[in-house]
Amino acid sequence: MVQFQQSDLLKKLPKQFFASLVAKVSNVVAQGHDVINLGQGNPDQPTPAHIVEALKKASGNVDYHKYSPFRGQKFLKEAVVTFYEREYGVKLDAEKEVAILFGGKAGLVEVPQCLLNPGDTVLVPDPGYPDYWSGVELARTKMEIMPLRAENHFLPDYEEISEDVKEKAKLMFLNYPNNPTGAVATKEFFDDTISFAREHDVCVVHDFAYGAIGFDGQKPISFLEAEGAKDVGIEIYTFSKTFNMAGWRIAFAVGNESVIEAINLLQDHLYVSIFSAVQEAAAVALLSSQECVTELNALYESRRNVFINGLQEIGWKVEAPAGSFFAWLPVPKGYTSQQFSDLLLEKAKVVVAPGNGFGEYGEGYVRVGLLTEEHRLQEAVKRIKELQLFNV
């Protein structure tokens, strides 16, 4: 059999850091150990029943068995408009300011290819979602990191960016509530972002994947709520987290019409849109009662409280996340992120994601996903306590 070589482009793609973590975990599980996996970012709850029923019914519509409209069903884009005005007070044009995506990841990876040329500069948060790096590499562009530090509430400091980089930058990724830190953004920060983007002609791409998940009575704000946001960027919203529809692969981008048109144009060449029955179920999710979303948020907040309180009780000095379903925990002195993650897996059979997998500034932390039952989170705390790493 002829072994064909991969392209140089594929060879340059970032290595999937978490593939090695999955392999380690699989090996321990294969040995028969009871492993508590807190290293994942995959929602553990089912899609709400009314959304599933909508899909079942819609799948019988023979018109949906044909090709879907290239740029998505009008009814879904109109549902997005209704959703954003209801939830955030943001008015959108269904045809010009909404693009239907094959999951949020696809949109995030596509945007650099839509707007940039080889050699252009992209500002990327560090730590951050690793697939931002993939989009940068696929577009043959250059990445400049924006450090996210605890002392600045895990928000980038635009004053820290050199003048040379400011002038070269053409695109910026942001993500609040944040993966992996669980931090949230303020309206003042978004106002500053818009000012920065205007001054330096930078397109802002706000990854709003965890937009529905905020704690302590605080609802995360949309980037588009800030005045002038649509002038300088877009927001990407996925059904994966809000409605536990990760496997459905559907999301949308909203905002600046020139960026939306560029996304639509690229997707015209890649896809023939999403199965219309999925689009109808997605519209039902947006337009129906949001009680299921409220209940899901309460579930994550309860898990957060159980886990963080438990860790604090055993002497681990950690802070509760303000949003998302992740907790960002500093590792004990004397360990790297990788060493501490390996220790927890080997000795406690607890899986966490080492922070260096999210970038240079993730070193010194581990990420925990609050995506298992409370009794399992309590068991994880118990096992960590037995390692006697912390002073009570």
Side-chain angles (χ1 to χ4, degrees), residues 218-252:
Q218 299 299 310
K219 180 179 180 178
I221 63 173
S222 162
F223 173 61
L224 296 191
E225 288 183 73
E227 185 176 353
K230 284 197 291 185
D231 294 339
V232 299
I234 64 168
E235 187 159 78
I236 292 180
Y237 195 104
T238 176
F239 290 77
S240 296
K241 281 74 178 182
T242 304
F243 302 105
N244 290 320
M245 294 171 66
W248 297 54
R249 308 318 303 141
I250 186 164
F252 55 85

Side-chain angles (χ1 to χ4, degrees), residues 5-175:
Q5 292 294 311
Q6 294 180 350
S7 67
D8 290 342
L9 176 62
L10 288 184
K11 291 176 182 177
K12 290 181 180 179
L13 286 176
K15 292 184 178 180
Q16 286 291 344
F17 179 87
F18 293 100
S20 61
L21 176 62
V22 171
K24 289 180 182 179
V25 174
S26 298
N27 183 50
V28 175
V29 171
Q31 295 173 18
H33 295 289
D34 174 31
V35 173
I36 302 174
N37 192 344
L38 306 180
Q40 62 182 3
N42 198 358
D44 65 308
Q45 297 297 296
T47 306
H50 69 284
I51 302 173
V52 176
E53 287 304 314
L55 174 67
K56 290 179 180 179
K57 181 178 179 181
S59 66
N61 184 338
V62 294
D63 287 339
Y64 291 170
H65 299 175
K66 304 174 184 178
Y67 289 123
S68 303
F70 268 80
R71 299 192 174 191
Q73 290 285 2
K74 182 178 179 180
F75 62 72
L76 177 53
K77 290 186 280 189
E78 290 176 343
V80 169
V81 170
T82 299
F83 177 79
Y84 253 70
E85 184 165 9
R86 185 190 71 221
E87 296 295 321
Y88 305 110
V90 174
K91 293 184 181 296
L92 296 165
D93 183 309
E95 289 305 314
K96 295 181 179 179
E97 297 178 334
V98 181
I100 306 304
L101 306 173
F102 285 70
K105 172 179 177 175
L108 292 165
V109 172
E110 287 169 356
V111 169
Q113 299 171 71
C114 293
L115 301 179
L116 305 183
N117 295 312
D120 286 344
T121 296
V122 184
L123 298 172
V124 179
D126 183 344
Y129 180 47
D131 281 315
Y132 302 147
W133 313 339
S134 302
V136 169
E137 193 60 53
L138 284 169
R140 295 181 170 89
T141 52
K142 297 179 180 178
M143 182 170 69
E144 293 286 348
I145 64 170
M146 300 184 294
L148 307 185
R149 299 185 176 92
E151 56 266 32
N152 199 42
H153 310 289
F154 296 109
L155 300 169
D157 180 356
Y158 298 133
E159 294 300 318
E160 189 177 357
I161 301 173
S162 71
E163 290 301 319
D164 180 58
V165 170
K166 287 178 182 178
E167 293 309 311
K168 289 181 179 178
K170 293 188 177 181
L171 187 71
M172 173 199 297
F173 285 108
L174 293 175
N175 165 222

